[in-house]
Amino acid sequence: MEYYFLPPFVVATDCDFGVIFVSISVLLQLQEEFERELGPILEQNDGLPHLRLCLYANEAEYRQATTDLLDYRLLNSLGCYRRPTNTLYLYNRGLALGQAQLGRFTDDAPRAVLRHEGTHQLAADLQVPTPFNTEVFWLDEGLAQCFESSPPGDPLPGRLAVLAAARQAGQLIPWEELLLLAPSDLASDYQRERLAYAQSWLLVRTLMGRTWRPAFFRWLLLARQQGPARLEPQAVINFLNTLGTTASKLSEELDKQIPRPAPVP
């Protein structure tokens, strides 16, 4: 591995410099968009700490470097973020050209994976408020998925296809249930996790829209002032009250955005 200091990034890699350049460019663009979209709820600071980025051209070395995470979800993953060490890991497959279509969904190219994991890093470093005393799947993963695209929040056809198929099969996770899910609740059910990802994307994308964003930000800022709450049904009620809506109205708004199958002629 070669090491480079390209502020604010410390890069360890066996990739060529073209991949390093593209990776840094993607992450810098992501940071600019992240701060623009979420500026009102971010803590003011004098600059990001050194961000560690490990880029691998060798798949075996990438897998070896991430085996200590002991997370089955990484088995087919192209990237991950480790908060304790503030490190992004990425297995490069076509990053320089952005042409590979890889990952859980059809619209997950390597650039999207890098932006997804980079969003987790930025959310930690720029201190997006944490409303609960444990990780909340929909907020963490929904936000990261929204920033996979540029501009953030653009439609992701793969997610919409998953949602449409689940609704047609009557398998959507109830939205009130999704709001209470922790990552550990999905550890043994890949299909349910896949659906939870898609529904979390739709939920956060909706909350980041023009109609809901002021109330969504108000809820996050209140969480910073009041401190993290327990992840329990009362917390969902408080969340909905701050949004000025009810579970049924929010569900109706979200369901309207899921494509319906074309009528059979």
Side-chain angles (χ1 to χ4, degrees), residues 38-70:
L38 298 173
I41 63 170
L42 301 178
E43 289 281 18
Q44 297 296 319
N45 59 51
D46 296 327
L48 292 174
H50 292 163
L51 308 178
R52 296 178 177 86
L53 175 62
C54 296
L55 295 170
Y56 295 87
N58 185 297
E59 182 175 6
E61 291 186 6
Y62 168 73
R63 302 298 172 198
Q64 183 177 0
T66 54
T67 50
D68 63 322
L69 298 177
L70 299 177

PDB file of all heavy atoms in Angstrom, residues 38-70:
ATOM      1  N   LEU A  38     -27.519  20.494   4.328  1.00  0.00           N
ATOM      2  CA  LEU A  38     -27.761  20.285   5.757  1.00  0.00           C
ATOM      3  C   LEU A  38     -27.176  21.373   6.641  1.00  0.00           C
ATOM      4  O   LEU A  38     -27.176  21.249   7.865  1.00  0.00           O
ATOM      5  CB  LEU A  38     -27.187  18.926   6.185  1.00  0.00           C
ATOM      6  CG  LEU A  38     -27.806  17.697   5.511  1.00  0.00           C
ATOM      7  CD1 LEU A  38     -27.042  16.440   5.874  1.00  0.00           C
ATOM      8  CD2 LEU A  38     -29.267  17.543   5.914  1.00  0.00           C
ATOM      9  N   GLY A  39     -26.704  22.448   6.047  1.00  0.00           N
ATOM     10  CA  GLY A  39     -26.020  23.499   6.786  1.00  0.00           C
ATOM     11  C   GLY A  39     -26.706  23.955   8.065  1.00  0.00           C
ATOM     12  O   GLY A  39     -26.056  24.094   9.108  1.00  0.00           O
ATOM     13  N   PRO A  40     -28.022  24.193   8.063  1.00  0.00           N
ATOM     14  CA  PRO A  40     -28.668  24.713   9.277  1.00  0.00           C
ATOM     15  C   PRO A  40     -28.605  23.782  10.484  1.00  0.00           C
ATOM     16  O   PRO A  40     -28.803  24.246  11.610  1.00  0.00           O
ATOM     17  CB  PRO A  40     -30.127  24.911   8.826  1.00  0.00           C
ATOM     18  CG  PRO A  40     -30.048  25.075   7.340  1.00  0.00           C
ATOM     19  CD  PRO A  40     -28.937  24.183   6.902  1.00  0.00           C
ATOM     20  N   ILE A  41     -28.349  22.501  10.293  1.00  0.00           N
ATOM     21  CA  ILE A  41     -28.340  21.590  11.447  1.00  0.00           C
ATOM     22  C   ILE A  41     -26.939  21.089  11.782  1.00  0.00           C
ATOM     23  O   ILE A  41     -26.787  20.271  12.690  1.00  0.00           O
ATOM     24  CB  ILE A  41     -29.268  20.378  11.213  1.00  0.00           C
ATOM     25  CG1 ILE A  41     -28.784  19.539  10.021  1.00  0.00           C
ATOM     26  CG2 ILE A  41     -30.707  20.829  11.033  1.00  0.00           C
ATOM     27  CD1 ILE A  41     -29.502  18.207   9.899  1.00  0.00           C
ATOM     28  N   LEU A  42     -25.916  21.573  11.074  1.00  0.00           N
ATOM     29  CA  LEU A  42     -24.557  21.105  11.325  1.00  0.00           C
ATOM     30  C   LEU A  42     -23.882  21.974  12.373  1.00  0.00           C
ATOM     31  O   LEU A  42     -24.127  23.177  12.455  1.00  0.00           O
ATOM     32  CB  LEU A  42     -23.738  21.114  10.027  1.00  0.00           C
ATOM     33  CG  LEU A  42     -24.287  20.254   8.884  1.00  0.00           C
ATOM     34  CD1 LEU A  42     -23.399  20.392   7.655  1.00  0.00           C
ATOM     35  CD2 LEU A  42     -24.425  18.796   9.298  1.00  0.00           C
ATOM     36  N   GLU A  43     -23.013  21.362  13.161  1.00  0.00           N
ATOM     37  CA  GLU A  43     -22.225  22.117  14.135  1.00  0.00           C
ATOM     38  C   GLU A  43     -21.156  22.914  13.404  1.00  0.00           C
ATOM     39  O   GLU A  43     -20.546  22.445  12.442  1.00  0.00           O
ATOM     40  CB  GLU A  43     -21.549  21.159  15.126  1.00  0.00           C
ATOM     41  CG  GLU A  43     -22.523  20.497  16.096  1.00  0.00           C
ATOM     42  CD  GLU A  43     -22.908  21.424  17.237  1.00  0.00           C
ATOM     43  OE1 GLU A  43     -22.720  22.637  17.127  1.00  0.00           O
ATOM     44  OE2 GLU A  43     -23.411  20.907  18.252  1.00  0.00           O
ATOM     45  N   GLN A  44     -20.933  24.125  13.866  1.00  0.00           N
ATOM     46  CA  GLN A  44     -19.865  24.934  13.294  1.00  0.00           C
ATOM     47  C   GLN A  44     -18.513  24.401  13.760  1.00  0.00           C
ATOM     48  O   GLN A  44     -18.337  24.072  14.928  1.00  0.00           O
ATOM     49  CB  GLN A  44     -20.011  26.393  13.728  1.00  0.00           C
ATOM     50  CG  GLN A  44     -21.297  27.045  13.233  1.00  0.00           C
ATOM     51  CD  GLN A  44     -21.363  27.137  11.727  1.00  0.00           C
ATOM     52  OE1 GLN A  44     -20.379  27.454  11.070  1.00  0.00           O
ATOM     53  NE2 GLN A  44     -22.527  26.835  11.171  1.00  0.00           N
ATOM     54  N   ASN A  45     -17.580  24.288  12.826  1.00  0.00           N
ATOM     55  CA  ASN A  45     -16.228  23.859  13.209  1.00  0.00           C
ATOM     56  C   ASN A  45     -15.212  24.553  12.308  1.00  0.00           C
ATOM     57  O   ASN A  45     -15.566  25.198  11.325  1.00  0.00           O
ATOM     58  CB  ASN A  45     -16.085  22.337  13.149  1.00  0.00           C
ATOM     59  CG  ASN A  45     -16.376  21.783  11.763  1.00  0.00           C
ATOM     60  OD1 ASN A  45     -15.831  22.242  10.777  1.00  0.00           O
ATOM     61  ND2 ASN A  45     -17.251  20.789  11.694  1.00  0.00           N
ATOM     62  N   ASP A  46     -13.961  24.403  12.649  1.00  0.00           N
ATOM     63  CA  ASP A  46     -12.887  25.071  11.910  1.00  0.00           C
ATOM     64  C   ASP A  46     -12.317  24.203  10.806  1.00  0.00           C
ATOM     65  O   ASP A  46     -11.243  24.473  10.286  1.00  0.00           O
ATOM     66  CB  ASP A  46     -11.763  25.467  12.876  1.00  0.00           C
ATOM     67  CG  ASP A  46     -12.230  26.487  13.898  1.00  0.00           C
ATOM     68  OD1 ASP A  46     -13.089  27.320  13.539  1.00  0.00           O
ATOM     69  OD2 ASP A  46     -11.755  26.439  15.050  1.00  0.00           O
ATOM     70  N   GLY A  47     -13.014  23.142  10.452  1.00  0.00           N
ATOM     71  CA  GLY A  47     -12.521  22.251   9.405  1.00  0.00           C
ATOM     72  C   GLY A  47     -12.609  20.806   9.850  1.00  0.00           C
ATOM     73  O   GLY A  47     -12.658  20.503  11.038  1.00  0.00           O
ATOM     74  N   LEU A  48     -12.656  19.941   8.870  1.00  0.00           N
ATOM     75  CA  LEU A  48     -12.766  18.520   9.171  1.00  0.00           C
ATOM     76  C   LEU A  48     -11.451  17.974   9.700  1.00  0.00           C
ATOM     77  O   LEU A  48     -10.373  18.454   9.343  1.00  0.00           O
ATOM     78  CB  LEU A  48     -13.150  17.752   7.901  1.00  0.00           C
ATOM     79  CG  LEU A  48     -14.560  17.999   7.354  1.00  0.00           C
ATOM     80  CD1 LEU A  48     -14.727  17.289   6.021  1.00  0.00           C
ATOM     81  CD2 LEU A  48     -15.606  17.519   8.331  1.00  0.00           C
ATOM     82  N   PRO A  49     -11.527  16.963  10.567  1.00  0.00           N
ATOM     83  CA  PRO A  49     -10.300  16.272  10.965  1.00  0.00           C
ATOM     84  C   PRO A  49      -9.758  15.485   9.779  1.00  0.00           C
ATOM     85  O   PRO A  49     -10.377  15.425   8.714  1.00  0.00           O
ATOM     86  CB  PRO A  49     -10.788  15.324  12.068  1.00  0.00           C
ATOM     87  CG  PRO A  49     -12.220  15.076  11.730  1.00  0.00           C
ATOM     88  CD  PRO A  49     -12.734  16.363  11.141  1.00  0.00           C
ATOM     89  N   HIS A  50      -8.596  14.897   9.942  1.00  0.00           N
ATOM     90  CA  HIS A  50      -8.058  14.071   8.875  1.00  0.00           C
ATOM     91  C   HIS A  50      -8.986  12.884   8.633  1.00  0.00           C
ATOM     92  O   HIS A  50      -9.345  12.149   9.556  1.00  0.00           O
ATOM     93  CB  HIS A  50      -6.654  13.575   9.238  1.00  0.00           C
ATOM     94  CG  HIS A  50      -5.652  14.685   9.278  1.00  0.00           C
ATOM     95  ND1 HIS A  50      -4.434  14.569   9.898  1.00  0.00           N
ATOM     96  CD2 HIS A  50      -5.681  15.943   8.774  1.00  0.00           C
ATOM     97  CE1 HIS A  50      -3.757  15.692   9.773  1.00  0.00           C
ATOM     98  NE2 HIS A  50      -4.502  16.546   9.095  1.00  0.00           N
ATOM     99  N   LEU A  51      -9.386  12.717   7.389  1.00  0.00           N
ATOM    100  CA  LEU A  51     -10.280  11.640   7.008  1.00  0.00           C
ATOM    101  C   LEU A  51      -9.455  10.523   6.386  1.00  0.00           C
ATOM    102  O   LEU A  51      -8.702  10.758   5.434  1.00  0.00           O
ATOM    103  CB  LEU A  51     -11.318  12.146   6.010  1.00  0.00           C
ATOM    104  CG  LEU A  51     -12.093  13.397   6.430  1.00  0.00           C
ATOM    105  CD1 LEU A  51     -13.052  13.825   5.326  1.00  0.00           C
ATOM    106  CD2 LEU A  51     -12.861  13.142   7.712  1.00  0.00           C
ATOM    107  N   ARG A  52      -9.601   9.329   6.906  1.00  0.00           N
ATOM    108  CA  ARG A  52      -8.831   8.197   6.401  1.00  0.00           C
ATOM    109  C   ARG A  52      -9.598   7.506   5.283  1.00  0.00           C
ATOM    110  O   ARG A  52     -10.774   7.192   5.439  1.00  0.00           O
ATOM    111  CB  ARG A  52      -8.518   7.216   7.533  1.00  0.00           C
ATOM    112  CG  ARG A  52      -7.632   7.795   8.613  1.00  0.00           C
ATOM    113  CD  ARG A  52      -7.392   6.780   9.729  1.00  0.00           C
ATOM    114  NE  ARG A  52      -6.476   7.304  10.734  1.00  0.00           N
ATOM    115  CZ  ARG A  52      -6.846   8.046  11.766  1.00  0.00           C
ATOM    116  NH1 ARG A  52      -8.116   8.344  11.925  1.00  0.00           N
ATOM    117  NH2 ARG A  52      -5.955   8.488  12.627  1.00  0.00           N
ATOM    118  N   LEU A  53      -8.911   7.270   4.183  1.00  0.00           N
ATOM    119  CA  LEU A  53      -9.513   6.634   3.021  1.00  0.00           C
ATOM    120  C   LEU A  53      -8.609   5.501   2.567  1.00  0.00           C
ATOM    121  O   LEU A  53      -7.439   5.727   2.232  1.00  0.00           O
ATOM    122  CB  LEU A  53      -9.688   7.660   1.897  1.00  0.00           C
ATOM    123  CG  LEU A  53     -10.198   7.163   0.544  1.00  0.00           C
ATOM    124  CD1 LEU A  53     -11.592   6.564   0.683  1.00  0.00           C
ATOM    125  CD2 LEU A  53     -10.193   8.300  -0.472  1.00  0.00           C
ATOM    126  N   CYS A  54      -9.138   4.276   2.562  1.00  0.00           N
ATOM    127  CA  CYS A  54      -8.387   3.105   2.114  1.00  0.00           C
ATOM    128  C   CYS A  54      -9.019   2.604   0.819  1.00  0.00           C
ATOM    129  O   CYS A  54     -10.175   2.176   0.816  1.00  0.00           O
ATOM    130  CB  CYS A  54      -8.411   2.003   3.167  1.00  0.00           C
ATOM    131  SG  CYS A  54      -7.595   2.442   4.712  1.00  0.00           S
ATOM    132  N   LEU A  55      -8.274   2.685  -0.269  1.00  0.00           N
ATOM    133  CA  LEU A  55      -8.749   2.268  -1.587  1.00  0.00           C
ATOM    134  C   LEU A  55      -8.006   1.004  -2.008  1.00  0.00           C
ATOM    135  O   LEU A  55      -6.773   0.972  -2.005  1.00  0.00           O
ATOM    136  CB  LEU A  55      -8.491   3.369  -2.617  1.00  0.00           C
ATOM    137  CG  LEU A  55      -9.246   4.681  -2.440  1.00  0.00           C
ATOM    138  CD1 LEU A  55      -8.695   5.736  -3.389  1.00  0.00           C
ATOM    139  CD2 LEU A  55     -10.732   4.478  -2.689  1.00  0.00           C
ATOM    140  N   TYR A  56      -8.760  -0.004  -2.408  1.00  0.00           N
ATOM    141  CA  TYR A  56      -8.160  -1.289  -2.764  1.00  0.00           C
ATOM    142  C   TYR A  56      -8.488  -1.652  -4.209  1.00  0.00           C
ATOM    143  O   TYR A  56      -9.655  -1.624  -4.621  1.00  0.00           O
ATOM    144  CB  TYR A  56      -8.692  -2.407  -1.859  1.00  0.00           C
ATOM    145  CG  TYR A  56      -8.292  -2.256  -0.409  1.00  0.00           C
ATOM    146  CD1 TYR A  56      -9.062  -1.493   0.467  1.00  0.00           C
ATOM    147  CD2 TYR A  56      -7.150  -2.882   0.083  1.00  0.00           C
ATOM    148  CE1 TYR A  56      -8.698  -1.347   1.794  1.00  0.00           C
ATOM    149  CE2 TYR A  56      -6.784  -2.739   1.415  1.00  0.00           C
ATOM    150  CZ  TYR A  56      -7.557  -1.978   2.261  1.00  0.00           C
ATOM    151  OH  TYR A  56      -7.193  -1.834   3.578  1.00  0.00           O
ATOM    152  N   ALA A  57      -7.452  -2.019  -4.964  1.00  0.00           N
ATOM    153  CA  ALA A  57      -7.656  -2.620  -6.272  1.00  0.00           C
ATOM    154  C   ALA A  57      -7.737  -4.135  -6.142  1.00  0.00           C
ATOM    155  O   ALA A  57      -8.323  -4.812  -6.989  1.00  0.00           O
ATOM    156  CB  ALA A  57      -6.514  -2.235  -7.217  1.00  0.00           C
ATOM    157  N   ASN A  58      -7.136  -4.672  -5.078  1.00  0.00           N
ATOM    158  CA  ASN A  58      -7.088  -6.114  -4.839  1.00  0.00           C
ATOM    159  C   ASN A  58      -8.246  -6.516  -3.925  1.00  0.00           C
ATOM    160  O   ASN A  58      -8.303  -6.115  -2.770  1.00  0.00           O
ATOM    161  CB  ASN A  58      -5.742  -6.479  -4.201  1.00  0.00           C
ATOM    162  CG  ASN A  58      -5.578  -7.975  -4.041  1.00  0.00           C
ATOM    163  OD1 ASN A  58      -6.326  -8.604  -3.312  1.00  0.00           O
ATOM    164  ND2 ASN A  58      -4.587  -8.529  -4.720  1.00  0.00           N
ATOM    165  N   GLU A  59      -9.166  -7.311  -4.474  1.00  0.00           N
ATOM    166  CA  GLU A  59     -10.351  -7.672  -3.698  1.00  0.00           C
ATOM    167  C   GLU A  59     -10.007  -8.471  -2.454  1.00  0.00           C
ATOM    168  O   GLU A  59     -10.592  -8.250  -1.386  1.00  0.00           O
ATOM    169  CB  GLU A  59     -11.336  -8.473  -4.556  1.00  0.00           C
ATOM    170  CG  GLU A  59     -12.612  -8.824  -3.815  1.00  0.00           C
ATOM    171  CD  GLU A  59     -13.639  -9.514  -4.682  1.00  0.00           C
ATOM    172  OE1 GLU A  59     -13.315  -9.822  -5.853  1.00  0.00           O
ATOM    173  OE2 GLU A  59     -14.760  -9.742  -4.201  1.00  0.00           O
ATOM    174  N   ALA A  60      -9.049  -9.396  -2.565  1.00  0.00           N
ATOM    175  CA  ALA A  60      -8.686 -10.225  -1.409  1.00  0.00           C
ATOM    176  C   ALA A  60      -8.172  -9.362  -0.261  1.00  0.00           C
ATOM    177  O   ALA A  60      -8.500  -9.602   0.911  1.00  0.00           O
ATOM    178  CB  ALA A  60      -7.643 -11.262  -1.820  1.00  0.00           C
ATOM    179  N   GLU A  61      -7.385  -8.340  -0.583  1.00  0.00           N
ATOM    180  CA  GLU A  61      -6.858  -7.469   0.468  1.00  0.00           C
ATOM    181  C   GLU A  61      -7.977  -6.627   1.087  1.00  0.00           C
ATOM    182  O   GLU A  61      -7.983  -6.370   2.297  1.00  0.00           O
ATOM    183  CB  GLU A  61      -5.761  -6.575  -0.098  1.00  0.00           C
ATOM    184  CG  GLU A  61      -4.492  -7.340  -0.464  1.00  0.00           C
ATOM    185  CD  GLU A  61      -3.365  -6.417  -0.887  1.00  0.00           C
ATOM    186  OE1 GLU A  61      -3.546  -5.175  -0.787  1.00  0.00           O
ATOM    187  OE2 GLU A  61      -2.314  -6.922  -1.321  1.00  0.00           O
ATOM    188  N   TYR A  62      -8.924  -6.204   0.251  1.00  0.00           N
ATOM    189  CA  TYR A  62     -10.069  -5.460   0.789  1.00  0.00           C
ATOM    190  C   TYR A  62     -10.862  -6.326   1.749  1.00  0.00           C
ATOM    191  O   TYR A  62     -11.212  -5.894   2.861  1.00  0.00           O
ATOM    192  CB  TYR A  62     -10.969  -4.975  -0.351  1.00  0.00           C
ATOM    193  CG  TYR A  62     -12.313  -4.466   0.131  1.00  0.00           C
ATOM    194  CD1 TYR A  62     -12.420  -3.249   0.799  1.00  0.00           C
ATOM    195  CD2 TYR A  62     -13.472  -5.226  -0.066  1.00  0.00           C
ATOM    196  CE1 TYR A  62     -13.649  -2.795   1.255  1.00  0.00           C
ATOM    197  CE2 TYR A  62     -14.701  -4.766   0.384  1.00  0.00           C
ATOM    198  CZ  TYR A  62     -14.789  -3.558   1.045  1.00  0.00           C
ATOM    199  OH  TYR A  62     -16.004  -3.118   1.502  1.00  0.00           O
ATOM    200  N   ARG A  63     -11.151  -7.565   1.352  1.00  0.00           N
ATOM    201  CA  ARG A  63     -11.910  -8.457   2.223  1.00  0.00           C
ATOM    202  C   ARG A  63     -11.154  -8.725   3.520  1.00  0.00           C
ATOM    203  O   ARG A  63     -11.741  -8.745   4.603  1.00  0.00           O
ATOM    204  CB  ARG A  63     -12.205  -9.780   1.511  1.00  0.00           C
ATOM    205  CG  ARG A  63     -12.978  -9.655   0.203  1.00  0.00           C
ATOM    206  CD  ARG A  63     -14.349  -9.066   0.375  1.00  0.00           C
ATOM    207  NE  ARG A  63     -14.980  -8.798  -0.922  1.00  0.00           N
ATOM    208  CZ  ARG A  63     -16.003  -7.996  -1.109  1.00  0.00           C
ATOM    209  NH1 ARG A  63     -16.524  -7.337  -0.088  1.00  0.00           N
ATOM    210  NH2 ARG A  63     -16.519  -7.807  -2.300  1.00  0.00           N
ATOM    211  N   GLN A  64      -9.856  -8.915   3.420  1.00  0.00           N
ATOM    212  CA  GLN A  64      -9.065  -9.180   4.619  1.00  0.00           C
ATOM    213  C   GLN A  64      -9.083  -7.979   5.558  1.00  0.00           C
ATOM    214  O   GLN A  64      -9.172  -8.128   6.785  1.00  0.00           O
ATOM    215  CB  GLN A  64      -7.625  -9.523   4.232  1.00  0.00           C
ATOM    216  CG  GLN A  64      -6.744  -9.886   5.422  1.00  0.00           C
ATOM    217  CD  GLN A  64      -5.345 -10.298   5.000  1.00  0.00           C
ATOM    218  OE1 GLN A  64      -5.029 -10.318   3.814  1.00  0.00           O
ATOM    219  NE2 GLN A  64      -4.504 -10.621   5.958  1.00  0.00           N
ATOM    220  N   ALA A  65      -9.004  -6.787   4.999  1.00  0.00           N
ATOM    221  CA  ALA A  65      -8.967  -5.577   5.822  1.00  0.00           C
ATOM    222  C   ALA A  65     -10.280  -5.332   6.548  1.00  0.00           C
ATOM    223  O   ALA A  65     -10.300  -4.683   7.595  1.00  0.00           O
ATOM    224  CB  ALA A  65      -8.622  -4.369   4.960  1.00  0.00           C
ATOM    225  N   THR A  66     -11.376  -5.866   6.009  1.00  0.00           N
ATOM    226  CA  THR A  66     -12.687  -5.595   6.605  1.00  0.00           C
ATOM    227  C   THR A  66     -13.279  -6.805   7.327  1.00  0.00           C
ATOM    228  O   THR A  66     -14.391  -6.708   7.852  1.00  0.00           O
ATOM    229  CB  THR A  66     -13.684  -5.125   5.520  1.00  0.00           C
ATOM    230  OG1 THR A  66     -13.726  -6.085   4.452  1.00  0.00           O
ATOM    231  CG2 THR A  66     -13.261  -3.777   4.959  1.00  0.00           C
ATOM    232  N   THR A  67     -12.552  -7.908   7.396  1.00  0.00           N
ATOM    233  CA  THR A  67     -13.118  -9.094   8.058  1.00  0.00           C
ATOM    234  C   THR A  67     -13.329  -8.865   9.540  1.00  0.00           C
ATOM    235  O   THR A  67     -14.224  -9.468  10.140  1.00  0.00           O
ATOM    236  CB  THR A  67     -12.203 -10.317   7.876  1.00  0.00           C
ATOM    237  OG1 THR A  67     -10.861  -9.955   8.233  1.00  0.00           O
ATOM    238  CG2 THR A  67     -12.247 -10.830   6.469  1.00  0.00           C
ATOM    239  N   ASP A  68     -12.554  -7.998  10.159  1.00  0.00           N
ATOM    240  CA  ASP A  68     -12.706  -7.785  11.595  1.00  0.00           C
ATOM    241  C   ASP A  68     -14.007  -7.069  11.933  1.00  0.00           C
ATOM    242  O   ASP A  68     -14.396  -6.972  13.097  1.00  0.00           O
ATOM    243  CB  ASP A  68     -11.525  -6.989  12.160  1.00  0.00           C
ATOM    244  CG  ASP A  68     -11.431  -5.601  11.565  1.00  0.00           C
ATOM    245  OD1 ASP A  68     -11.688  -5.467  10.361  1.00  0.00           O
ATOM    246  OD2 ASP A  68     -11.097  -4.662  12.304  1.00  0.00           O
ATOM    247  N   LEU A  69     -14.703  -6.547  10.903  1.00  0.00           N
ATOM    248  CA  LEU A  69     -15.990  -5.902  11.157  1.00  0.00           C
ATOM    249  C   LEU A  69     -17.073  -6.927  11.487  1.00  0.00           C
ATOM    250  O   LEU A  69     -18.089  -6.588  12.083  1.00  0.00           O
ATOM    251  CB  LEU A  69     -16.421  -5.081   9.936  1.00  0.00           C
ATOM    252  CG  LEU A  69     -15.479  -3.932   9.555  1.00  0.00           C
ATOM    253  CD1 LEU A  69     -15.970  -3.247   8.306  1.00  0.00           C
ATOM    254  CD2 LEU A  69     -15.354  -2.935  10.685  1.00  0.00           C
ATOM    255  N   LEU A  70     -16.855  -8.169  11.086  1.00  0.00           N
ATOM    256  CA  LEU A  70     -17.767  -9.263  11.430  1.00  0.00           C
ATOM    257  C   LEU A  70     -19.211  -8.921  11.076  1.00  0.00           C
ATOM    258  O   LEU A  70     -20.136  -9.137  11.853  1.00  0.00           O
ATOM    259  CB  LEU A  70     -17.664  -9.612  12.923  1.00  0.00           C
ATOM    260  CG  LEU A  70     -16.285 -10.080  13.398  1.00  0.00           C
ATOM    261  CD1 LEU A  70     -16.306 -10.308  14.904  1.00  0.00           C
ATOM    262  CD2 LEU A  70     -15.875 -11.353  12.683  1.00  0.00           C
TER     263      LEU A  70
END
